[in-house]
Amino acid sequence: FCRRYVAGGQCKSTARLEGKVAIITGANTGIGKETARDLARRGKVIVACRDIAKAEAAASEIRAETGNQQVIVKKLDLADTKSIREFAEKFLAEEKELHILINNAGVMLCPYSKTADGFEMHLGVNHLGHFLLTFLLLECLKQSAPARIVNVSSLAHHGGRIRFHDLHGEKSYNRGLAYCHSKLANVLFTRELARRLQGKSQRRAEFTANALHPGSVHSELVRHSFVMTCLWKIFSFFLKTPQEGAQTSVYCAVAEELDSVTGQYFSDCQPAYVSPRGRDDETAKKLWSVSCELLGIQWD
């Protein structure tokens, strides 16, 4: 009974994705890999990862298990905008359509460091990297509609703030709070993206964007913290497995009842409470503008 409670909600959708294409970032391990495994039973999956060797090993395992040879590995380093642009350019040259984009990859509790472009690592990978990737693939998603964008956030967004005066943690830095800030950015990005997309489409179901909390999952995400790694091992019985943690990602990607749902936040395959900061439209609009400035793009 306890394990069933910890496991949380299950995606019960049997939707097939024949003829459709899904991209999952960070799909070589943890919930990303399990999300890829599930979607590979339904259709074509692009595994977008920084570590090609690990990604190929994961993809090979998924191909063997599902019998789907359309599990394809592509190089993507979210800590480097050059890599993000190269990934998008190659994808658009090779694929005509994109129906599902799952922004899953992330870092947590990193010692202070910066991306190749000088962004604080949590903000750069968890938010700005996915912001740019979504921007570059947006037209393809629109042309492939109905399409879905799924952003993996966290319950940790409740502890986050968007510190516009010190976005890159150069004045003060706490790696736990930095993670929370980046997860709040995921929620605000989803909210503002959904608002903008709705404003330009007469049919709301054509294009949706939702965020989610996967739960507390026993994965490699805490590898940068020795204390958290030990705690995760000790209390593993009370943590979700990666397969259980992937359920809400899969749900947001395929569930038929979400065809016309956008701008929402889910946990355990059902709507969940968003913090007041995560519902602040003015902050969401400002974060959008600042993100565009940092990335040197125009996204109106």
Side-chain angles (χ1 to χ4, degrees), residues 152-204:
V152 179
S153 180
S154 170
L155 182 69
H157 85 271
H158 285 268
R161 291 176 55 211
I162 305 301
R163 303 170 68 247
F164 290 109
H165 67 287
D166 189 24
L167 275 177
H168 304 296
E170 294 171 329
K171 296 178 181 178
S172 65
Y173 179 75
N174 177 288
R175 56 186 181 172
L177 289 177
Y179 176 73
C180 295
H181 301 335
S182 70
K183 294 291 103 177
L184 174 60
N186 292 154
V187 172
L188 291 170
F189 168 45
T190 304
R191 187 177 183 88
E192 181 63 8
L193 176 60
R195 185 189 70 80
R196 288 168 177 259
L197 293 174
Q198 277 187 272
K200 295 183 179 181
S201 176
Q202 294 297 318
R203 292 173 57 198
R204 186 181 177 191

Side-chain angles (χ1 to χ4, degrees), residues 100-293:
I100 300 169
L101 172 61
I102 302 181
N103 291 318
N104 164 85
V107 294
M108 180 180 182
L109 302 175
C110 298
Y112 188 77
S113 57
K114 291 187 175 182
T115 68
D117 301 274
F119 308 140
E120 187 276 318
M121 190 61 70
H122 292 90
L123 181 75
V125 171
N126 297 352
H127 168 59
L128 291 172
H130 284 129
F131 188 96
L132 178 60
L133 179 65
T134 305
F135 167 76
L136 295 172
L137 298 177
L138 192 69
E139 285 306 314
C140 186
L141 282 158
K142 285 182 178 179
Q143 293 170 12
S144 308
R148 300 186 185 189
I149 297 171
V150 179
N151 294 322
V152 179
S153 180
S154 170
L155 182 69
H157 85 271
H158 285 268
R161 291 176 55 211
I162 305 301
R163 303 170 68 247
F164 290 109
H165 67 287
D166 189 24
L167 275 177
H168 304 296
E170 294 171 329
K171 296 178 181 178
S172 65
Y173 179 75
N174 177 288
R175 56 186 181 172
L177 289 177
Y179 176 73
C180 295
H181 301 335
S182 70
K183 294 291 103 177
L184 174 60
N186 292 154
V187 172
L188 291 170
F189 168 45
T190 304
R191 187 177 183 88
E192 181 63 8
L193 176 60
R195 185 189 70 80
R196 288 168 177 259
L197 293 174
Q198 277 187 272
K200 295 183 179 181
S201 176
Q202 294 297 318
R203 292 173 57 198
R204 186 181 177 191
E206 285 187 348
F207 201 174
T208 64
N210 291 297
L212 66 98
H213 167 56
S216 297
V217 181
H218 193 264
S219 71
E220 297 179 8
L221 191 61
V222 297
R223 62 186 178 277
H224 293 292
S225 171
F226 175 76
V227 173
M228 289 295 290
T229 300
C230 291
L231 289 174
W232 249 226
K233 289 181 180 179
I234 294 170
F235 295 105
S236 60
F237 181 82
F238 300 100
L239 299 173
K240 290 185 179 184
T241 65
Q243 190 272 336
E244 292 164 349
Q247 292 303 301
T248 307
S249 295
V250 175
Y251 175 75
C252 289
V254 305
E256 298 89 341
E257 61 266 34
L258 299 187
D259 281 346
S260 61
V261 175
T262 191
Q264 301 301 306
Y265 172 75
F266 294 86
S267 178
D268 284 327
C269 301
Q270 60 185 357
Y273 178 74
V274 178
S275 74
R277 289 193 180 105
R279 289 179 271 119
D280 188 328
D281 289 331
E282 290 306 310
T283 300
K285 292 175 184 176
K286 185 174 180 179
L287 177 63
W288 184 284
S289 177
V290 170
S291 297
C292 287
E293 289 177 14

Side-chain angles (χ1 to χ4, degrees), residues 79-93:
D80 186 345
T81 58
K82 181 180 178 182
S83 175
I84 298 169
R85 291 181 181 279
E86 289 176 350
F87 169 87
E89 182 179 348
K90 290 179 181 178
F91 174 84
L92 294 172

